[in-house]
Amino acid sequence: MGAYETEKPTKDAAALETQSPEDFDQPSPLRKIISVASIAAGVQFGWALQLSLLTPYVQLLGIPHKWSSLIWLCGPVSGMIVQPIVGFHSDRCRSKFGRRRPFIATGAALVAVAVFLIGYAADFGYKMGDKLEEKVKVRAIGIFALGFWILDVANNTLQGPCRAFLADLAAGDAKRTRVANAFFSFFMAVGNVLGYAAGSYTNLHKMFPFTMTKACDIYCANLKTCFFLSITLLLIVTVTSLWYVNDKQWSPPPRNADDDEKTSSVPLFGEIFGAFKVMKRPMWMLLIVTALNWIAWFPFLLFDTDWMGREVFGGDSDGNERSKKLYSLGVQSGAMGLMFNSIVLGFMSLGVEWIGRKLGGAKRLWGIVNFILATGLAMTVLVTKFAEDHRKTAGDLAGPSASVKAGALSLFAVLGIPLAITFSTPFALASIFSSCSGAGQGLSLGVLNLAIVIPQMIVSLGGGPFDALFGGGNLPAFIVAAIAAAISGVLALTVLPSPPPDAPKATTMGGFH
């Protein structure tokens, strides 16, 4: 096992492919870390498809725009429940295959089941009695919702143990941990690029002609094909990594009866809520800034392609054929914009540490890019106004001018800069602050996840109805998001404490859920 070749296995340990604790204290070879980090590409491929294609897809199934955001409750709910449970039990898993690998394999298998249900929701609904002429296809929506919930559970089952596996391989080495998470972030960007590129290609369904059926049009067939490619990539990188990289088997430390009684009386969620009692001011400030930051991000992440289809291209998923076609073109253009966003994200992720040093620290960098985020979100109003002005002279179904489309795509690309910081800096600061608090680093990162999923629930529940109060569309939520980003930037620069200069180097986590 590379760096672990000095192990002295006993007869039983050899059979279980485990190592002595001393050997696991040594960092694993970089090639093994890269192999495990590559799983992020497969996971993020599917996540990118969710962001770029699923909101328009559920509207085509008949869910109104103002209620389509409720579908996105799956992610935060599963993030609040599944990820802590999986993380808790993966730390204590006694499987002969190790602590992390069984959960990663289970997550990959669940992803395969989920995307099959999502892709064939319209077909199954039709077979079960949905009429093609019906606007709301109740059975198809039910199957889609089931598949979507399974998909989010599967993604949470995958991502937590995968990041923990990287930490295990780094064996506490700060530099190797930063490198591991930099590669994880990089492969996230790779998965995003692949997902958004696939979502923006209109003839992808020709690879699998059987995907187009009586109940599934070209848009639906393209979605099916994208998911087939996604699960293929995920299975390849997952199987390769789990076969190539062995995992540590957990051996519980000796405990006396009093310890066992305390442990049993404070199970999983008791540990999480107990962390709030010992958190100090720096961590509380970090949670507040993080929550505001994600209130700013989620409206755009959930409705960016819908904004392109509706406000920029002037289409309507419920309109006539020409209007629907314009909307579809806008969604595809939005997927291309997300691909540009991911390219910037990938390059920026590799330079976060260097740029942070040049700007005077992580907190200052985070504050500055939050103002970039606020400006970008506010600019959506200006792009929308230019698009509307163009349609007044060229016609309602003319689509955007080249300059308007270029401006919108430029916004997508620029927002890749703050997104890279959002994917790294909060987790790095949590790791530093946790070293000075009563909570351990892992528990602090679990608590930080609550500052991410709770804003997502707020946006999912309130985004659609809030937009409807102002006549529909996405701009009201984007304006609120811009204000939240600006407040987050101010707080990051003022009330968020700077990490102590002698603090241990922190991990940089490359992702969100």
Side-chain angles (χ1 to χ4, degrees), residues 33-157:
I33 288 176
I34 293 175
S35 179
V36 173
S38 68
I39 295 175
V43 174
Q44 205 65 19
F45 193 155
W47 179 246
L49 292 174
Q50 288 188 55
L51 292 177
S52 63
L53 297 179
L54 285 191
T55 292
Y57 180 58
V58 299
Q59 292 179 43
L60 290 176
L61 291 179
I63 300 179
H65 170 70
K66 67 177 182 178
W67 298 117
S68 63
S69 60
L70 294 177
I71 293 292
W72 292 95
L73 276 176
C74 307
V77 170
S78 64
M80 288 184 68
I81 299 174
V82 175
Q83 202 168 94
I85 292 175
V86 169
F88 182 84
H89 289 291
S90 72
D91 284 338
R92 295 158 177 79
C93 179
R94 302 192 189 189
S95 168
K96 68 179 183 180
F97 299 108
R99 296 186 296 173
R100 317 298 183 188
R101 289 193 295 179
F103 291 92
I104 295 173
T106 300
L110 286 174
V111 169
V113 173
V115 298
F116 181 79
L117 290 174
I118 292 173
Y120 280 87
D123 296 290
F124 289 150
Y126 177 68
K127 294 290 185 182
M128 294 169 65
D130 281 342
K131 304 297 182 182
L132 296 179
E133 62 273 12
E134 290 178 342
K135 182 178 180 181
V136 179
K137 301 173 178 61
V138 178
R139 298 167 185 83
I141 292 171
I143 295 169
F144 169 85
L146 174 63
F148 194 71
W149 276 84
I150 294 175
L151 181 61
D152 273 297
V153 169
N155 280 337
N156 280 288
T157 303

Side-chain angles (χ1 to χ4, degrees), residues 266-279 438-439 443 447:
V266 187
L268 173 60
F269 290 105
E271 291 190 22
I272 294 176
F273 292 119
F276 286 100
K277 297 181 180 179
V278 296
M279 277 196 313
L443 199 55
V447 170

Side-chain angles (χ1 to χ4, degrees), residues 197-447:
S200 65
Y201 185 52
T202 58
N203 294 318
L204 205 60
H205 67 282
K206 292 182 179 179
M207 295 177 61
F208 305 107
F210 62 86
T211 57
M212 194 168 176
T213 64
K214 185 181 294 186
C216 185
D217 59 12
I218 292 178
Y219 190 91
C220 171
N222 277 327
L223 181 67
K224 281 185 190 176
T225 304
C226 288
F227 275 128
F228 286 150
L229 296 177
S230 169
I231 191 58
T232 299
L233 174 62
L234 177 61
L235 292 179
I236 289 174
V237 295
T238 301
V239 171
T240 301
S241 298
L242 299 188
W243 171 80
Y244 180 56
V245 184
N246 286 335
D247 188 10
K248 178 181 180 180
Q249 186 182 22
W250 183 63
S251 298
R255 306 176 67 91
N256 58 42
D258 292 338
D259 290 336
D260 291 337
E261 185 177 349
K262 290 177 183 178
T263 301
S264 61
S265 64
V266 187
L268 173 60
F269 290 105
E271 291 190 22
I272 294 176
F273 292 119
F276 286 100
K277 297 181 180 179
V278 296
M279 277 196 313
K280 297 183 179 179
R281 182 177 180 275
M283 193 66 188
W284 280 109
M285 293 299 100
L286 176 61
L287 293 181
I288 293 171
V289 176
T290 300
L292 286 168
N293 190 216
W294 280 103
I295 288 176
W297 269 116
F298 276 121
F300 186 77
L301 292 177
L302 298 184
F303 301 114
D304 42 17
T305 56
D306 187 67
W307 171 67
M308 285 291 284
R310 290 178 182 275
E311 279 87 349
V312 178
F313 275 71
D316 187 351
S317 59
D318 296 325
N320 55 37
E321 288 303 314
R322 174 59 181 161
S323 185
K324 288 181 179 179
K325 184 177 180 180
L326 263 180
Y327 179 79
S328 179
L329 289 173
V331 169
Q332 292 158 11
S333 182
M336 182 178 296
L338 289 171
M339 182 179 65
F340 295 152
N341 175 279
S342 298
I343 292 172
V344 175
L345 166 65
F347 284 107
M348 187 68 185
S349 296
L350 298 178
V352 166
E353 190 172 348
W354 179 83
I355 296 172
R357 287 199 304 268
K358 294 294 184 182
L359 292 179
K363 115 169 188 172
R364 182 172 295 179
L365 172 61
W366 195 15
I368 292 172
V369 300
N370 276 336
F371 288 111
I372 296 177
L373 172 60
T375 302
L377 291 170
M379 289 294 289
T380 60
V381 178
L382 189 61
V383 171
T384 300
K385 184 180 185 306
F386 286 149
E388 291 174 347
D389 290 343
H390 175 73
R391 287 195 293 272
K392 288 178 182 178
T393 57
D396 290 339
L397 301 178
S401 65
S403 59
V404 169
K405 184 177 178 180
L409 293 177
S410 297
L411 278 182
F412 278 87
V414 169
L415 290 179
I417 297 172
L419 188 59
I421 311 305
T422 299
F423 279 178
S424 59
T425 298
F427 298 95
L429 291 176
S431 183
I432 294 172
F433 294 153
S434 67
S435 65
C436 303
S437 71
Q441 185 181 106
L443 199 55
S444 294
L445 292 173
V447 170

